[in-house]
Amino acid sequence: MKKLNKAAAASLAVLLLASGCSKNGGSEAASADYKLENVKFPLKEKVTLKFMTQSSPLAPKDPNNKLIYKRLEKETGVHIKWKNYTSDSFVEKRNLAMASGDLPDAIMDAGYGDYDLLKLAKDGAIIPVEDLIDKHMPNLSKVLEQAPEYKKMMTAPDGHIYSFPWIEELGSGKESIHSVDDFPWINVEWLKKLGLKMPKTTEELKQVLIAFKTKDPNGNGKADEIPMSFINKAGGEDLAFLFGSFGLGENWDHTVVTNEGKVTFTASDEGYKEGIKYLADLHKEGLIDVESFDQDWNTYIAKGKDNRYGLYFTWDKANITGMNDKYDLMRPLAGPDGHVNVARTNGMGFDRGRMVITSANKNVELTAKWIDELYEPQQSVQNNWGTYGDKKQQNIFEKDASGKLKHLPLDGAAPVELRQKTNTGGPLAILDEYYGTVTTKPDDAAWRLGLLKDVMVPSMTAENIYPRVFFSLKELDRLSAIETDMFAYVMRKRAEWIQNGKVEKEWEKYKKELNRLGLQEWLDIKQKGYDRNTN
């Protein structure tokens, strides 16, 4: 039997139960037919639509208690009756609703992946929405006119659009905020105390880490400094950044597109092997945190709060060691042959499956026009971050004299928590041209974009990333089956080799195993997807 990733397997199990159910009979969870046409807001008489959604435990249990929804109701005349679940239980509740066939009008902040969308569409549980966009959604249509690449990304292989996306642009191309996840943060306080310069090569970094280990830079007389630490899984806390000194580099999905348009698997590249050898040397010298291979987020943070790290990796240092001058962003390092490269991630501010309309919906025009309000520029900005003028709690924004939404100082509040209390989660669209006209950039994002531009972008050799290809069900089945085993194998061998130093001895056997696990088929599917997306 073919293997699927956990998300796809769970979705498939539920959808098999749902097969046929969603097409038959009515749904008590959906609204009555109001027989409204040529809808204009606000409605003369208030009506109710029934949506399912998810939210943080920090947010109100009833989303209608959020100021952002109170304003929407007043502006549209549409009351939303919510089935709202906390994020930890939402997927289970969502899948059970789809399995029962007792469908709401729509699911907001739906969290659907491509496999889910295609299976639900095939079963008839959700409806295609491209005609609704063309006829009833001027705000979203304008976004797609300004940025037509998103329409291609929204469109399934059968030519239909089945969901409404979340789009958040913060920089473009190499300067996109998503270009690098795992920023390397180095302890400049220790560098200064030991009279060391910021390392510029992999060898210089090794010597710096040795000094961090042996020269008591924190001055407490104990050997409790941790020269380098990371979390051994894909994401912002991984050490993938260091592989850029040895070739193609590495990222969370092991995928890099060469400037000739060839899709490559980073973890079979000769440069990857050289990177492993370098890391094994660091491990042999006792320079890598022994807990790196199995520690969780909380453990990682705790050691960071104690300022025990010489070098560590994360998206934003404020999360680990605080927003202070003790740590600075380390520049890309030249490898043994002088090679310098920053591998780009294949991330972007785009989520295809943020909202769907179900087949139980009897008021599709009304629903589409309500959803379209979420794509109005100022509304999208609030959907994403939070709102203004709330007298009961801290605000994300204030409106200036021109009507622009200006980000307020956080005053020590955690930005993620404040967002969760006040925003909607989408769908939405924020284009780069909105900054300076509709809203300002958040201070933390502007700071990170500046670092990215100054430190990372000059060393990015790849002109393109792997795009958000919408694969077919058949392709997704194969990719999922291959990746489940192959990606796990890659990460397991990486951890083993860093610790035992046997990469050179086992490299050819490793490559044969990658091929046995389906590497060539994976490359073929990914290349075909890339070619049709870019042609």
Side-chain angles (χ1 to χ4, degrees), residues 311-332:
L311 175 69
Y312 72 95
F313 304 84
T314 196
W315 175 275
D316 182 347
K317 68 176 182 178
N319 295 323
I320 310 295
T321 54
M323 186 57 72
N324 53 55
D325 296 331
K326 294 180 179 180
Y327 289 82
D328 199 1
L329 185 60
M330 185 178 73
R331 293 185 173 273

Side-chain angles (χ1 to χ4, degrees), residues 239-444:
L239 47 59
F241 176 86
L242 294 179
F243 284 88
S245 303
F246 301 91
L248 292 173
E250 176 65 310
N251 54 32
W252 60 270
D253 59 350
H254 315 295
T255 309
V256 167
V257 180
T258 70
N259 290 343
E260 294 71 41
K262 182 181 179 181
V263 179
T264 58
F265 188 66
T266 58
S268 64
D269 180 65
E270 290 295 311
Y272 178 83
K273 179 180 71 172
E274 295 305 310
I276 293 285
K277 288 165 70 174
Y278 172 73
L279 294 170
D281 185 42
L282 297 186
H283 185 272
K284 184 179 179 181
E285 294 284 345
L287 306 177
I288 293 178
D289 184 359
V290 294
E291 293 185 314
S292 292
F293 301 97
D294 55 17
Q295 67 185 335
D296 61 15
W297 172 254
N298 290 331
T299 303
Y300 195 60
I301 287 179
K303 290 181 287 189
K305 298 298 183 188
D306 287 342
N307 293 311
R308 295 178 62 197
Y309 294 144
L311 175 69
Y312 72 95
F313 304 84
T314 196
W315 175 275
D316 182 347
K317 68 176 182 178
N319 295 323
I320 310 295
T321 54
M323 186 57 72
N324 53 55
D325 296 331
K326 294 180 179 180
Y327 289 82
D328 199 1
L329 185 60
M330 185 178 73
R331 293 185 173 273
L333 303 172
D337 61 356
H339 179 78
V340 182
N341 177 35
V342 173
R344 298 167 64 182
T345 70
N346 297 305
M348 62 185 303
F350 178 78
D351 177 10
R352 203 158 10 231
R354 193 53 69 104
M355 188 165 189
V356 296
I357 298 176
T358 77
S359 56
N361 191 309
K362 303 178 183 68
N363 303 280
V364 291
E365 178 187 336
L366 174 66
T367 303
K369 288 185 173 177
W370 188 91
I371 295 170
D372 193 53
E373 292 296 304
L374 303 178
Y375 287 100
E376 189 278 325
Q378 278 208 347
Q379 184 64 51
S380 277
V381 167
Q382 294 173 76
N383 293 347
N384 198 43
W385 283 295
T387 192
Y388 64 94
D390 194 330
K391 297 179 181 179
K392 296 182 179 179
Q393 64 173 26
Q394 184 175 347
N395 289 285
I396 290 282
F397 296 109
E398 66 177 3
K399 262 196 175 184
D400 66 17
S402 68
K404 182 171 66 178
L405 292 170
K406 180 181 177 181
H407 279 86
L408 290 168
L410 291 169
D411 293 331
V416 172
E417 292 183 3
L418 192 51
R419 279 175 81 166
Q420 290 175 344
K421 291 177 182 178
T422 58
N423 71 358
T424 70
L428 57 89
I430 300 171
L431 304 182
D432 266 335
E433 49 262 47
Y434 292 5
Y435 299 111
T437 55
V438 179
T439 188
T440 56
K441 287 180 182 175
D443 289 343
D444 57 330

